[in-house]
Amino acid sequence: MGEHNSLARHGQPGLSNSFGAVLRGVDWNVYLASHNLSRSHMHQGTNYRYQSWQPIQTNITTRGTKPPYYGNLAVAAFMHRSWLSSQLQISSLPASSIYSTQYASHVDDTLTRLLVVDDLHTYNIIADNNYIDPVPQPSEMCTFQLPSDCRGEAYVQRLLANGSDAISGITWDGYSYNYDLDKGKLVRITHVTCGESVEVDVNGMLSIHVPWSSAAIVSLDC
């Protein structure tokens, strides 16, 4: 698919650079892959609101890593294959909620990962937002019936922020790439969970809780 992104005319501030737009980008690009589109060109440019990073300082935009970059990391992790010769297949799964989407990744016909994107449960936290959610961030439990050869522990990686309207404080798998922390190098954020795992039970069932306005990838041993 040719040049595109979240909103025309280089996006809108507070919208195209929000965490909600990040989740939408993850969902959109994986959705395209599930329909056998092999390439998706996300439009980028200096001072654009939906850009993944700003390489230089300007009078209107600070240099640094921008929210959509974290979505790119999640998409790359979900579609990872160890060898270029391996065959990757992305499938859309029936979701247990109208507010989320679920996908499966197969590499060489083996189920390798599951993805849950809760991008339609809006959870806002910015004080001047007229639609702020005052309650603690809820979550949904997602349950999967796995093939009989899937077993043991599954590794969880999460794409998180304080809310869907957040434009900072975003982490992927417990790490930040904030330019102010270490010039864009990955920095472990100690209060964010990393190295999480969930158990596949004897019946091949796997359950994972996914907070509203977040995404999670589950890597399987199948």
Side-chain angles (χ1 to χ4, degrees), residues 27-217:
D27 193 357
W28 172 244
N29 281 290
V30 177
Y31 172 81
L32 293 179
S34 73
H35 285 267
N36 296 319
L37 272 74
S38 59
R39 298 183 69 172
S40 170
H41 296 270
M42 303 296 285
H43 191 218
Q44 305 288 300
T46 303
N47 296 330
Y48 291 6
R49 271 70 65 184
Y50 50 47
Q51 68 196 116
S52 294
W53 59 83
Q54 171 86 0
I56 60 173
Q57 189 82 15
T58 69
N59 62 335
I60 59 174
T61 306
T62 58
R63 176 172 56 183
T65 308
K66 305 302 180 181
Y69 183 77
Y70 294 87
N72 298 343
L73 293 173
V75 171
F78 182 63
M79 297 187 184
H80 172 72
R81 49 183 176 163
S82 298
W83 307 100
L84 289 177
S85 58
S86 294
Q87 296 297 310
L88 173 68
Q89 181 181 358
I90 305 298
S91 304
S92 177
L93 302 176
S96 57
S97 167
I98 63 172
Y99 298 101
S100 65
T101 53
Q102 300 175 4
Y103 298 93
S105 170
H106 288 77
V107 177
D108 293 331
D109 296 323
T110 298
L111 178 61
T112 56
R113 297 176 196 90
L114 301 169
L115 167 65
V116 180
V117 186
D118 191 307
D119 53 347
L120 292 180
H121 265 132
T122 303
Y123 184 75
N124 295 325
I125 49 88
I126 294 179
D128 60 356
N129 191 323
N130 292 329
Y131 301 97
I132 190 170
D133 294 285
V135 298
Q137 188 172 13
S139 65
E140 283 204 352
M141 184 65 73
C142 300
T143 301
F144 299 89
Q145 174 66 67
L146 303 179
S148 58
D149 54 350
C150 296
R151 59 193 181 279
E153 289 187 333
Y155 175 55
V156 181
Q157 296 170 287
R158 295 187 183 273
L159 182 61
L160 297 171
N162 288 333
S164 54
D165 56 349
I167 59 174
S168 62
I170 300 168
T171 59
W172 162 244
D173 196 26
Y175 287 86
S176 171
Y177 293 79
N178 190 327
Y179 184 83
D180 294 334
L181 294 179
D182 193 11
K183 296 185 177 181
K185 298 176 183 177
L186 76 168
V187 174
R188 176 76 176 95
I189 305 301
T190 55
H191 65 271
V192 179
T193 301
C194 180
E196 179 185 355
S197 63
V198 292
E199 191 75 23
V200 180
D201 70 18
V202 294
N203 298 313
M205 301 295 293
L206 178 147
S207 296
I208 178 175
H209 74 89
V210 180
W212 287 13
S213 298
S214 75
I217 293 175

Side-chain angles (χ1 to χ4, degrees), residues 211-222:
W212 287 13
S213 298
S214 75
I217 293 175
V218 183
S219 296
L220 304 166
D221 180 13
C222 296

